[in-house]
């Protein structure tokens, strides 16, 4: 069943309350290499697993990021089926409204090797990277994750912040690329067109998330956003600044660009794939463009924090969502890239149109152009964000 256009998507919530600018503040309040007690180690912060005697787990996720019953929004069919199958009671909480905001909720406990009351949480790549860097995440037992080992997409198996996925497993993924409204402009194909074409002047938006916008600009300059130098970043930033100074870019946004694009108030933009799918349900003029130079690939990742007391139960839930049948049910509702091999065939039984959608099940040609953003150390994170925020006027 196709999900209706929702007024605020999970990806949009990522910038909804604090956004990228808050990174500068939170990074300063808990410097991973500078604040005594912030950094933890596996040996120094041991966790006790009570899963054998306590059949429960606490799961923190983003709003509107799981399937719900059409007749009763309080019911979550895949979670309910997991409970029925395993006897593990799941306390499911939609309390991850923004990566930085959530970091603020848990940083004191995790920095002090104290329990957060959560056994599983879902955070975006860059925040997962930060928490892993700080030593706040428990290593997963791969012997308890056979579905993950068998079915995780090859393109998501190795990431710079967590080689071989020792500590994280993707919940859902998405692409950052370009979109345009064919009712108000002709086709666009490249990032350079977006930033320089005269007929688009003042009718373009870009994302206020540094990794999405700068990743695409790095690719447009022929650089790899998963492995770049400061000089290459500065070169791409200079290109962005020229587009800002010339008036080509109207503004930088979270996912509020989607309604402007839908109405034709803007002609083209840097976008998130999940938004474009949802807009496409009501407006056939909205077109997604994967530039030949490349697209950005990001994931929201399941993580077990230190001092979580039901790690094995959390691993059982992670493994459950990598059953292709379950993964297809979830993807049919949330409409982001499904990270599970075999789910596309199962989606055929639910919604054949969604099964053919390359923004949920990208083909190899699309994935071959997709790159994640490079994992940054603490200094790079501060420096690059400060430069970007200055250019976008945040």
């Amino acid at each position: 069943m196709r999900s209706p256009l929702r007024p605020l998507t999970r990806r949009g919530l990522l910038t909804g309350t604090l956004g990228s600018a808050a990174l500068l503040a939170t990074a300063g309040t808990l410097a991973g290499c500078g604040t005594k007690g912030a950094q933890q180690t596996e040996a120094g912060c041991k966790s006790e697993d009570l899963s054998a005697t306590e059949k429960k787990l606490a799961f923190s996720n983003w709003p509107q990021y799981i399937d719900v019953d059409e007749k009763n929004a309080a019911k979550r069919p895949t979670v309910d089926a997991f409970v029925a199958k395993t006897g593990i009671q799941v306390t499911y909480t939609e309390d991850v409204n923004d990566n930085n905001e959530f970091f603020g909720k848990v940083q004191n406990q995790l920095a002090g090797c104290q329990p957060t009351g959560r056994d599983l949480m879902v955070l975006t790549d860059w925040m997962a990277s930060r928490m892993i860097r700080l030593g706040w995440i428990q290593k997963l037992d791969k012997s308890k994750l056979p579905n993950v080992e068998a079915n995780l997409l090859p393109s998501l198996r190795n990431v710079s912040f967590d080689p071989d996925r020792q500590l994280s497993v993707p919940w859902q993924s998405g692409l950052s690329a370009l979109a345009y409204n064919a009712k108000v402009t002709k086709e666009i194909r490249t990032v350079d067109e977006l930033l320089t074409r005269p007929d688009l002047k003042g009718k373009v938006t870009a994302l206020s998330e540094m990794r999405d916008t700068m990743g695409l600009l790095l690719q447009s300059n022929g650089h790899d956003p998963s492995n770049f130098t400061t000089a290459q970043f500065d070169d791409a930033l200079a290109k962005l600044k020229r587009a800002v100074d010339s008036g080509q870019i109207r503004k930088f946004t979270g996912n509020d660009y989607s309604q402007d694009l839908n109405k034709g108030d803007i002609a083209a933009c840097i976008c998130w794939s999940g938004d474009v799918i949802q807009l496409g349900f009501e407006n056939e003029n909205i077109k997604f463009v994967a530039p030949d130079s490349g697209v950005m690939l990001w994931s929201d990742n399941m993580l077990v924090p230190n001092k979580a007391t039901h790690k094995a139960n959390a691993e059982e839930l992670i493994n459950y969502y990598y059953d292709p049948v379950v993964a297809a049910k979830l993807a049919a509702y949330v409409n982001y890239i499904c990270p599970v091999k075999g789910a596309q065939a199962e989606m055929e039984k639910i919604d054949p149109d969604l099964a053919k959608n390359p923004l949920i099940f990208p083909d190899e040609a699309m994935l071959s152009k997709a790159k994640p953003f490079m994992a940054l150390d603490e200094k790079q994170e501060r420096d690059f964000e400060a430069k970007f925020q200055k250019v976008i006027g945040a």
Side-chain angles (χ1 to χ4, degrees):
M1 177 64 68
R2 289 189 173 192
S3 62
L5 181 68
R6 296 187 286 279
L8 187 62
T9 67
R10 190 230 66 76
R11 188 65 176 168
L13 282 163
L14 189 143
T15 52
T17 52
L18 295 177
S20 297
L23 177 63
L24 305 179
T26 56
T29 61
L30 194 76
C33 299
T35 300
K36 186 177 180 181
Q39 189 84 35
Q40 297 293 342
T41 65
E42 188 174 1
C45 186
K46 294 185 179 296
S47 304
E48 182 183 6
D49 191 358
L50 305 177
S51 296
T53 56
E54 296 184 359
K55 291 295 185 182
K56 62 182 181 179
L57 72 92
F59 184 5
S60 285
N61 204 348
W62 299 75
Q64 300 181 354
Y65 213 22
I66 202 163
D67 53 311
V68 299
D69 188 285
E70 290 184 348
K71 297 179 180 178
N72 184 348
K75 291 186 176 182
R76 302 177 178 95
T78 58
V79 173
D80 294 344
F82 173 78
V83 173
K85 178 181 179 181
T86 65
I88 297 170
Q89 298 301 310
V90 179
T91 301
Y92 185 86
T93 308
E94 296 182 333
D95 62 344
V96 188
N97 291 303
D98 175 281
N99 284 290
N100 280 308
E101 180 187 58
F102 188 79
F103 183 87
K105 289 179 183 179
V106 300
Q107 69 177 54
N108 290 336
Q109 294 100 314
L110 291 174
C113 189
Q114 299 296 320
T116 65
R118 299 168 175 87
D119 299 300
L120 190 64
M121 54 193 188
V122 176
L123 296 171
T124 306
D125 286 331
W126 60 271
M127 183 55 75
S129 174
R130 185 196 292 183
M131 289 199 173
I132 288 171
R133 189 175 72 227
L134 287 166
W136 292 356
I137 304 301
Q138 294 189 51
K139 186 175 289 186
L140 299 169
D141 182 350
K142 290 199 170 189
S143 70
K144 296 179 179 177
L145 302 171
N147 288 343
V148 177
E149 290 296 285
N151 298 327
L152 176 59
L153 290 177
S155 58
L156 296 170
R157 284 186 179 273
N158 285 289
V159 287
S160 57
F161 64 85
D162 184 19
D164 197 34
R165 293 289 183 181
Q166 299 281 330
L167 301 105
S168 66
V169 175
W171 172 251
Q172 299 289 287
S173 292
L175 300 173
S176 304
L178 308 180
Y180 68 96
N181 187 327
K183 190 174 182 179
V184 297
T185 190
K186 63 183 181 181
E187 181 183 32
I188 62 168
R189 294 302 314 167
T190 69
V191 172
D192 287 348
E193 276 188 86
L194 186 80
L195 299 183
T196 63
R197 216 169 74 188
D199 64 300
L200 295 176
K201 186 172 182 177
K203 303 175 183 177
V204 167
T205 62
L207 292 170
S208 56
E209 276 292 308
M210 179 194 73
R211 289 160 177 80
D212 298 296
T213 292
M214 290 305 299
L216 288 169
L217 266 73
L218 281 161
Q219 288 174 316
S220 74
N221 280 351
H223 301 310
D224 183 351
S226 65
N227 184 20
F228 60 87
T229 66
T230 298
Q232 290 169 344
F233 181 90
D234 290 345
D235 189 35
L237 191 64
K239 176 188 280 191
L240 182 66
K241 187 175 187 301
R242 289 193 293 272
V244 172
D245 292 346
S246 70
Q248 184 79 5
I249 297 177
R250 179 187 296 183
K251 60 182 177 179
F252 291 83
T253 75
N255 91 313
D256 45 323
Y257 72 85
S258 61
Q259 295 308 312
D260 289 338
L261 183 66
N262 189 37
K263 291 184 291 186
D265 290 345
I266 61 170
C269 60
I270 294 176
C271 72
W272 288 310
S273 56
D275 291 337
V276 175
I277 292 175
Q278 292 174 24
L279 286 174
F281 292 149
E282 68 172 31
N283 187 345
E284 63 182 10
N285 291 306
I286 304 303
K287 307 297 182 182
F288 180 87
V289 177
D292 288 339
S293 57
V295 296
M296 296 304 298
L297 177 66
W298 52 265
S299 295
D300 291 321
N301 306 279
M302 294 179 278
L303 307 160
V304 177
N306 286 350
K307 291 297 182 178
T309 52
H310 305 100
K311 176 173 175 282
N313 292 344
E315 289 166 336
E316 191 161 353
L317 183 77
I318 293 170
N319 194 62
Y320 166 79
Y321 274 100
Y322 270 71
D323 178 330
V325 175
V326 178
K329 292 175 182 176
L330 177 62
Y333 184 81
V334 300
N335 295 162
Y336 283 94
I337 290 177
C338 179
V340 181
K341 287 191 299 185
Q344 187 170 17
E346 295 298 328
M347 184 70 85
E348 289 277 0
K349 305 170 186 176
I350 301 171
D351 188 327
D353 288 340
L354 287 183
K356 297 172 185 174
N357 194 315
L359 301 187
I360 299 177
F361 300 103
D363 59 20
E364 287 304 315
M366 176 81 78
L367 290 175
S368 70
K369 298 195 294 184
K371 292 281 189 177
F373 199 85
M374 182 172 75
L376 304 178
D377 62 31
E378 184 190 335
K379 184 178 185 303
Q380 289 173 320
E381 202 168 276
R382 283 199 310 268
D383 291 349
F384 290 159
E385 281 284 357
K387 290 177 182 180
F388 179 70
Q389 295 298 322
K390 184 176 179 180
V391 167
I392 73 174

